[in-house]
Amino acid sequence: MLESLESLLLDYGYTGLFLASFLASTILPFGSEGIVVILIYMGFNIPAVVLVASTGNFLGACTSYYIGLKGRGYIEKYLRIRPDEIKKAETYFSKYGSYVLLFTWVPIIGDAFTVAGGLLRLRFLVFSIFVFTGKFLRYLAVAYFAGIF
């Protein structure tokens, strides 16, 4: 199913990339990096690909942040994040502060970081700066390595 979803999203170029990046940061268990690489190989504008993917992924993270603001009941209802993952994310926050949000792209724990940011009522501006920066740097690295190989 995910393969057919990815191929459908690829047919829509930047719009498909935006949707894939958004969904990958919220409810669907797949990454959008492959679509980034394919679009680059297809000749799409690299800065635009990086910006579109970063923006979509950031807005998906904002959705998770909002669900975290609403409380633990919403997390269990709408997201596939286990309570132990949230607890681990909160531990990282208490140890490292807001800097952990630079790593929201990390599989499994990254989504928990965004939700924990909401649960902990982190200021949205701080959340936005760290999350967007981390996601942008990740897609920039993906685009860079895609361009080399």
Side-chain angles (χ1 to χ4, degrees):
M1 177 188 151
L2 289 179
E3 294 83 21
S4 61
L5 177 61
E6 286 181 10
S7 66
L8 176 67
L9 293 172
L10 277 173
D11 291 340
Y12 291 96
Y14 293 118
T15 303
L17 175 61
F18 178 86
L19 290 172
S21 300
F22 180 88
L23 293 173
S25 187
T26 54
I27 57 173
L28 293 180
F30 72 90
S32 53
E33 295 84 359
I35 296 173
V36 167
V37 171
I38 292 170
L39 290 178
I40 289 171
Y41 283 133
M42 291 173 66
F44 281 72
N45 180 281
I46 293 173
V49 166
V50 170
L51 190 58
V52 168
S54 300
T55 303
N57 212 245
F58 166 71
L59 291 174
C62 291
T63 303
S64 297
Y65 172 88
Y66 178 74
I67 291 171
L69 281 176
K70 298 304 268 178
R72 294 188 189 274
Y74 284 86
I75 295 166
E76 293 170 7
K77 184 175 181 180
Y78 295 109
L79 299 176
R80 58 188 173 0
I81 301 172
R82 297 187 323 266
D84 63 306
E85 292 172 338
I86 296 295
K87 186 66 178 158
K88 185 186 285 188
E90 289 173 332
T91 301
Y92 280 114
F93 263 100
S94 65
K95 187 172 182 179
Y96 302 108
S98 301
Y99 294 103
V100 301
L101 293 170
L102 291 169
F103 300 96
T104 58
W105 55 268
V106 174
I108 300 170
I109 193 72
D111 291 337
F113 287 154
T114 59
V115 172
L119 279 171
L120 297 172
R121 304 282 194 254
L122 186 66
R123 283 190 16 220
F124 186 70
L125 179 61
V126 171
F127 172 88
S128 296
I129 290 168
F130 283 112
V131 171
F132 188 83
T133 299
K135 290 180 180 294
F136 179 79
L137 292 173
R138 184 251 324 243
Y139 284 114
L140 191 62
V142 169
Y144 174 78
F145 288 113
I148 289 177
F149 300 108

